[in-house]
C-alpha cells in the first residue's frame, strides 16, 4: 500500500494564488498529506477556509501562533517536498537571500526536503535583472523551477510570467518526489541531474490527411511523451516538445512545436535536432500517407461501394536523425509492438534498433482490442529498454511518469 507523503504547499501573494487550490486538491486526491502555509498577502487572494477544506488540514500563516510547537521546525522537518505556487518576485528574492521573516521562510530554511517553485509575475518583473539573478541562484542550489509559461496575464496583456498550469506543477512535483523516494532518503536524487542538457522529445500520433475533413491516425494519446517532457523538466533539462495531436494538455513552460502529419513532424524534428543533446522519439508516426489529398470532401456518390487508397511511404524520422546525428548526441527510439510473446517481442526490438541506428530502444507492447491497461491511451506503461547490442539495460512498469524517469536515468 502506498504510504502518504507530506507535501507542504507554500502560497505567496499573487493573483495566481487562486490556482493553488487546484494544486492542493490534486495532491490530496493523489493520497498525499498536504499542509498549506499561506503568506498574509496570499490570503488577500484566496480564503483560508477554502484552503483548509481542500487540504483537510489547518492552514498556517503566523510564525507567532503555536510557538510552543516550534511550528516552522515541525512542518519543515516533516515535509517530503515543499512546493511554492505561486512564487512571486518578492518571495523568490527572499528565497535567494535565505530570508526568514515569516512562517514560510522559516519553514523552508528548517527543511531538507526538495523544493519546487512555480514563479508567477508580470513579464517585466520576470525579466528584471534582479529576478533573473535570483532565479539563477535558486537553480544553482538544485531547486526545481517550473515555468513560468507564456500566455495571458492578469490584465489584458500577455507574455512570459504566467504561472504554469496546475496539472504540470503537480506532475513535476510528483516526479521530484518519486525520484527522491526511489533514490532513498537524504540522497542527492532531487538535485536536477539533467541541468544544462537540451532534450528534444516527440509525442502523440500523427494524422495523415485524406481530404479536408478526414485523416488516417493512430491511438497514441501523447501521455508517455508529455510525461517524459515533464520528468525531464523536473530534472532540470531544457525541453522542446514536438507534439502531434495530443490528448493531454501541453505544459505552457515547455517550448512546444505543434504539428499534425508525419511530414510536419519530420520538418520540426530536423530543425530542432541540431540544438539537442538528447532526442527521444516517443511519437507514433504514420509509416504511410495518402498519395494524394483530395481538395474537396470525398463523396460516396463519386466513389461507389469500395474505396481504395494509394499510400506512399513517409520518411523514417528516427532513422534519419540517427544517421545524421551530431557527435555526442544521444538518440532514443520507441518500438510499439502488438506481439504478445515476450521473446518474440524482444527479437522485434533487437531487429528494430539495428534498422533505426539509435542508442536505446524502448520496447512497449501496445494494443487496443485486448482491453489492455498499459500502452496507448492508458495511464500506465510497461517497457523494456534495449541498447545497441540488443542487451536489456532497463525494465520499468508503472505510471507513465515513473517509466519516464527510468528512461531518463539512461541519460542522467
Ligand atoms: N518512427 C519514425 N518515423 C516513422 C516511423 C516511426 O521516426 N516514419 C519512429 C517512432 O517514433 C519510434 C520508432 O520509429 O521511435 C519505431 O516506431 P514503430 O512504429 O514501432 O516502428 P516502425 O518504424 O513504424 O516499424 P513497424 O511499423 O514496421 O514496426
Amino acid at each position: 500500500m502506498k504510504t502518504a507523503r507530506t507535501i507542504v504547499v507554500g502560497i505567496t501573494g499573487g493573483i495566481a494564488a487562486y490556482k493553488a487550490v487546484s494544486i492542493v486538491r490534486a495532491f490530496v486526491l493523489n493520497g498525499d498529506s498536504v499542509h498549506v502555509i499561506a503568506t498574509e498577502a496570499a490570503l488577500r487572494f484566496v480564503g483560508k477556509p477554502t484552503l483548509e477544506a481542500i487540504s483537510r488540514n489547518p492552514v498556517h500563516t503566523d510564525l507567532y501562533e503555536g510557538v510552543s510547537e516550534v511550528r516552522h521546525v515541525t512542518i519543515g522537518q516533516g515535509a517530503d517536498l515543499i512546493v511554492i505556487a505561486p512564487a512571486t518576485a518578492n518571495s523568490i528574492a527572499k528565497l535567494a537571500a535565505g530570508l526568514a521573516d515569516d512562517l514560510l521562510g522559516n519553514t523552508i530554511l528548517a527543511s531538507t526536503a526538495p523544493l519546487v517553485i512555480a514563479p508567477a509575475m508580470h513579464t517585466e518583473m520576470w525579466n528584471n535583472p534582479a529576478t533573473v539573478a535570483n532565479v539563477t541562484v535558486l537553480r544553482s542550489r538544485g531547486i526545481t523551477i517550473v515555468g513560468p509559461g507564456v500566455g495571458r496575464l492578469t490584465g489584458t496583456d500577455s507574455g512570459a510570467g504566467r504561472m504554469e498550469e496546475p496539472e504540470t506543477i503537480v506532475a513535476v512535483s510528483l516526479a521530484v518526489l518519486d525520484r527522491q523516494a526511489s533514490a532513498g532518503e537524504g540522497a542527492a536524487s532531487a538535485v536536477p541531474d539533467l541541468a544544462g542538457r537540451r532534450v528534444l522529445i516527440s509525442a502523440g500520433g500523427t494524422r495523415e490527411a485524406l481530404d479536408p475533413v478526414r485523416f488516417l491516425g493512430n491511438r497514441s494519446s501523447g501521455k508517455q511523451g508529455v510525461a517524459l517532457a515533464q520528468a525531464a523538466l523536473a530534472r532540470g533539462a531544457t525541453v522542446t516538445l514536438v507534439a502531434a495531436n495530443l490528448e493531454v494538455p501541453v505544459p505552457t513552460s515547455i517550448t512546444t512545436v505543434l504539428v499534425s502529419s508525419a511530414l510536419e513532424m519530420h520538418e520540426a524534428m530536423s530543425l530542432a535536432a541540431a540544438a539537442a543533446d538528447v532526442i527521444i522519439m516517443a511519437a507514433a508516426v504514420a509509416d504511410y500517407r495518402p498519395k494524394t489529398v483530395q481538395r474537396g470532401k470525398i463523396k460516396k456518390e463519386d466513389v461507389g461501394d469500395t474505396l481504395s487508397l494509394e499510400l506512399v511511404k513517409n520518411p523514417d524520422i528516427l532513422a534519419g536523425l540517427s544517421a545524421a546525428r551530431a557527435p555526442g548526441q544521444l538518440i532514443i527510439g520507441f518500438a510499439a509492438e502488438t506481439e504478445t510473446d515476450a521473446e518474440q517481442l524482444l527479437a522485434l526490438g533487437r531487429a528494430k534498433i539495428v534498422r533505426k541506428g539509435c542508442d536505446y530502444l524502448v520496447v512497449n507492447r501496445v494494443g487496443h482490442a485486448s482491453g489492455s491497461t498499459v500502452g496507448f491511451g492508458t495511464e500506465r506503461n510497461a517497457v523494456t529498454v534495449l541498447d545497441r547490442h540488443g542487451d536489456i539495460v532497463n525494465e520499468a512498469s508503472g505510471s507513465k511518469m515513473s517509466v519516464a524517469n527510468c528512461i531518463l536515468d539512461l541519460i542522467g
Side-chain angles (χ1 to χ4, degrees):
M1 207 185 77
K2 187 176 137 186
T3 46
R5 296 147 322 173
T6 300
I7 302 177
V8 171
V9 178
I11 308 178
T12 68
I15 184 64
Y18 80 94
K19 293 191 194 166
V21 178
S22 313
I23 296 170
V24 171
R25 177 137 181 94
F27 287 141
V28 171
L29 292 180
N30 189 52
D32 294 308
S33 164
V34 183
H35 291 274
V36 173
I37 301 180
T39 63
E40 291 291 347
L43 293 182
R44 290 170 178 248
F45 293 97
V46 59
K48 201 170 181 177
T50 307
L51 294 167
E52 293 195 331
I54 299 293
S55 70
R56 304 176 188 169
N57 273 315
V59 169
H60 304 292
T61 42
D62 190 350
L63 189 59
Y64 298 101
E65 260 173 30
V67 175
S68 61
E69 300 163 29
V70 203
R71 199 165 273 165
H72 60 285
V73 177
T74 318
I75 301 175
Q77 287 178 343
D80 294 302
L81 176 75
I82 300 181
V83 180
I84 305 177
T88 58
N90 184 48
S91 62
I92 287 172
K94 292 206 299 188
L95 208 55
L99 289 186
D101 61 351
D102 59 9
L103 182 60
L104 182 58
N106 279 275
T107 304
I108 292 166
L109 289 190
S111 176
T112 55
L115 193 56
V116 173
I117 70 161
M121 64 200 73
H122 264 78
T123 309
E124 293 77 5
M125 297 172 82
W126 176 246
N127 290 335
N128 186 288
T131 308
V132 171
N134 290 332
V135 169
T136 306
V137 168
L138 299 190
R139 277 194 213 284
S140 72
R141 284 189 202 143
I143 291 171
T144 302
I145 298 170
V146 197
V150 177
R152 189 75 187 257
L153 301 172
T154 324
T156 52
D157 49 345
S158 37
R162 180 187 159 88
M163 190 172 82
E164 180 53 276
E165 294 309 317
E167 202 161 15
T168 301
I169 297 169
V170 170
V172 167
S173 302
L174 295 179
V176 170
L177 253 182
D178 284 351
R179 274 180 44 71
Q180 179 79 358
S182 65
E185 211 177 304
S189 61
V191 172
D193 59 343
L194 301 185
R197 309 292 292 274
R198 298 162 303 169
V199 181
L200 170 64
I201 300 170
S202 71
T206 65
R207 292 178 179 177
E208 310 304 312
L210 279 166
D211 69 13
V213 289
R214 303 183 180 95
F215 57 82
L216 299 175
N218 61 63
R219 295 190 188 278
S220 172
S221 61
K223 284 180 186 157
Q224 184 63 72
V226 169
L228 273 162
Q230 288 168 330
L233 188 71
R235 291 167 72 159
T238 305
V239 183
T240 301
L241 185 68
V242 173
N245 313 299
L246 300 185
E247 283 173 19
V248 283
V250 183
T252 53
S253 59
I254 292 178
T255 305
T256 304
V257 185
L258 295 178
V259 297
S260 186
S261 66
L263 288 181
E264 286 170 13
M265 178 165 278
H266 184 224
E267 192 184 344
M269 291 298 291
S270 304
L271 271 176
D277 304 312
V278 179
I279 300 175
I280 308 178
M281 274 297 297
V285 185
D287 292 324
Y288 296 91
R289 66 180 182 279
K291 187 172 183 187
T292 48
V293 181
Q294 300 298 322
R295 288 177 52 180
K297 190 180 167 205
I298 300 170
K299 305 295 273 181
K300 280 195 291 292
E301 304 86 79
D302 302 334
V303 175
D305 285 346
T306 59
L307 169 62
S308 299
L309 293 173
E310 194 178 356
L311 304 177
V312 292
K313 215 169 184 182
N314 275 324
D316 190 319
I317 306 170
L318 177 59
L321 293 171
S322 300
R325 67 149 66 85
Q329 199 172 48
L330 190 90
I331 304 187
I332 303 177
F334 270 68
E337 307 289 356
T338 51
E339 173 61 56
T340 50
D341 178 77
E343 270 312 306
Q344 284 299 319
L345 184 68
L346 286 180
L348 289 173
R350 288 182 178 121
K352 194 167 277 186
I353 194 166
V354 173
R355 281 203 308 276
K356 302 281 180 179
C358 51
D359 298 291
Y360 295 107
L361 191 74
V362 182
V363 182
N364 74 327
R365 196 147 63 72
V366 294
H368 179 69
S370 59
S372 169
T373 54
V374 295
F376 276 6
T378 62
E379 298 306 324
R380 301 174 68 75
N381 214 353
V383 302
T384 304
V385 186
L386 300 178
D387 67 10
R388 286 168 157 279
H389 312 291
D391 293 331
I392 296 176
V393 288
N394 221 338
E395 283 179 295
S397 65
S399 70
K400 289 190 170 174
M401 188 56 86
S402 63
V403 168
N405 272 317
C406 286
I407 295 167
L408 295 177
D409 285 343
L410 296 168
I411 60 176

